[in-house]
Amino acid sequence: MHKVYLKQAWQMLKEDKVIGIITISGTALAITMIMVVILTQEIKTKNITPEIYRERTMYIEYTREESREKSHININPVSGRLYKQYLSQLKTPELLSLQKRDQSRISIINQDEYLNVDILYTDSEFWKMYRFSFEEGKPFSKEDFHSGLPTAVICKSMAQKLFKGESPLGKEFLYKNKQHRICGVVKDISTLCDKAYSQIWIPYTSVFEKMEDGHFTVVILAGNKNDFNNIKKEVRESEIRNLREIDKNTVQFIGPYSRRELLVKEGNLTNEDPNLKKSAFRFYLILAILLLIPAVNLSGFSLFRIINRTSEIGIRKAFGANRKTILTQVLYENLLTSLTGGIIGLLLSYFTVTLIKDRLFTIENNSFGEVTIPISSFISPSIFFYVFLICLILNLLSSGIPAWRASRLHTADAIKS
Amino acid sequence: MSIIELKNVQKMYRTKEIETIALENVNLSIDKGEFLSIMGPSGCGKSTLLNIIGLLDIPNRGHLHINGQDTSQLNDKEAAKFRNKTVGFIFQSFHLIPSLNVLDNVQLPLLYRSGSGINKTARAKEVLEKVGLSHRMKHFPTQLSGGQSQRVAIARAIIGQPEIILADEPTGNLDSKMGMEIIELLFDLNREGSTIVMVTHDEHIAKQTKRIARFFDGRQVE
Ligand SMILES: Nc1ncnc2c1ncn2[C@@H]1O[C@H](COP(=O)(O)OP(=O)(O)O)[C@@H](O)[C@H]1O
Ligand SMILES: [Mg+2]
């Protein structure tokens, strides 16, 4: 039965080329718009190598310090001092790591040339939070980190620029008057991974005399997503305990927030939890509107096609089709056009996202790196599932009423028309 | 026992302005294996009668019994099943589905028959053989002559081996030579046991059938 439906749907498309092309391209454009929105959201939130634990990672980017007299409020990245006092003892997280982004100049010894680079200061835990693929060498170790050894991991393109094809392992570059020895080379990281991204990673112990001197983003890896609330609770408890004990200022951490929460938060520097439900609602509302408009347009064509086929539907009923079979067939045939449009739309959305990626994914500081979108963000089961689901909904919205009408046609009258 | 029995059947069409009584108090019973011709002037309700017998339409009053069963009790699904198994329609203007080729058109009734386990294509070839069109299987309806189209329509009507064949002016759109070929086919089917109800304007053809029912203005007059 399905084979016959498919064959016939194809035949109909061939006969009614203009309508077919209009319907398919209308569907394709609708799916393109929707998939650009969905892809953007997916790429921002789903795991992308090396940020493979995005779904169970939380971040504290800022603290809010208020003097007891409430005379002034300071909002700063998390200072090493506050981290040590408030956060380093947290029990719930699996891992804690500090990182700080910078842009600076490096040079190779005996060469007066400078290179501007993105640098990330971090600790040895950092390498456990992400999955980097090392081309050569390995990350700096816990011992390297604690001894404040001036060592560095660099990305491949940087290695290429510095050493022109020679193995960079063990070679050194000059940064802040210190010779940093290269211990590892990793593949270039897309700036999409805005937390893991850098061109050079060095232990912050080699830059700051004391950890207390730095200001950081705190990255927290939870055992699983369900621990998020407990981690938040623990941070709040720590705030209260410390307030009672020592501090002259009231300290509040803005966060910890999940990746989704950070996206929703957007510069709002209070420690309230962002309203994920509201933002999800807004997201789905946009999708609904993007779906509804083409659906209404397409249903016109769908109805037109059905009216053209009134007689055929009567004939089918005369030879044994019941209402349900007619309904199924019309929906099924329309699904074929929807899916064809869907596949074209999906390809177009890949193209669009690639074309405007720099606008879609901006990261805070103007990094020197590139936005490269891994192919796995495009070709994933969830993306295909979304396209299929959206085609199905679009199909039901646009041909549901025409199909229902067709199934209710009066048989004898339909044949005559 | 009669296979088709109409009791006091009335059919009325209501549009905004007028009411048309298409059938008035029709009582008719047709025996198994009969070949009945229905005659009468245009607009007297012949097609309406056939539509009611074939469950394409329902009477406003009265009852239709097929094989003793009252059909007014059937729901949409059951009526569809009845049309599929028990009747085969042949129309004046053929009514083949233009987007399907001959083979698929002929197979149409089997498409709506669940799990019968028969080889649909083989069966379609068989009936096309019977109507002499096995060499046109891949053609589309627009590529066929009127006579060929009607033969395809007959193949479609008989593929499901229905007990009843309802033919509404099957020769109306054909020249007399082709018309006679079609009528011969119907006589063959009748000899093989099918009950046939045929609307025709052609006295000569009607005379060859076992019985004629004449209608005028929605009433049976003979
Ligand atoms: N769907 C309909 N709506 C209104 N009137 C109809 C409809 N179908 C048939 N009629 C009317 O019913 C009468 C009988 O029609 P029909 O059975 O087609 O006649 P015949 O087949 O004998 O020419 C005619 O007057 C026709 O105009
Ligand atoms: Mg008629």
Side-chain angles (χ1 to χ4, degrees), chain A residues 1 4-5 7-8 11-12 15 311-312 315-323 325 329 410-412 415, chain B residues 51 56-57 76-77 80 83-84 88-89 91 95-100 104 108-109 111-112 140 156-157:
Chain A
M1 191 123 120
V4 182
Y5 285 174
K7 201 162 117 189
Q8 186 172 4
Q11 192 66 40
M12 304 273 315
E15 269 176 31
S311 171
E312 178 197 323
I315 296 163
R316 287 181 181 275
K317 291 184 93 171
F319 287 98
N322 58 37
R323 283 185 198 140
T325 29
Q329 184 182 0
H410 182 277
T411 316
I415 295 175
Chain B
N51 288 343
L56 298 184
D57 211 338
D76 171 67
K77 208 173 162 187
R83 289 193 293 265
N84 183 260
F89 292 94
F91 303 97
H95 287 318
L96 299 176
I97 295 176
S99 57
L100 297 181
D104 290 331
L108 189 71
L111 184 68
Y112 298 115
F140 283 89
R156 175 177 66 183

Side-chain angles (χ1 to χ4, degrees), chain A residues 51 53-54 56-62 78 83 87 90 93-101 120-123 125-130 194-196 216-222 228 231 256-257 259 262:
Chain A
E51 294 183 353
Y53 303 126
R54 276 181 174 183
R56 54 187 180 98
T57 309
M58 300 182 94
Y59 311 88
I60 304 176
E61 292 183 323
Y62 297 99
V78 184
Y83 171 77
L87 302 174
L90 293 182
E94 196 172 289
L95 277 179
L96 288 169
S97 169
L98 296 183
Q99 58 182 58
K100 176 181 168 57
R101 211 164 267 298
L120 197 78
Y121 311 127
T122 187
D123 46 33
E125 303 296 302
F126 175 86
W127 304 104
K128 296 182 197 156
M129 295 246 175
Y130 308 100
D194 54 354
K195 293 295 183 287
F216 301 92
T217 293
V218 183
V219 184
I220 302 169
L221 187 67
F228 279 6
I231 292 174
Y257 292 135
R259 206 177 164 83
L262 270 192

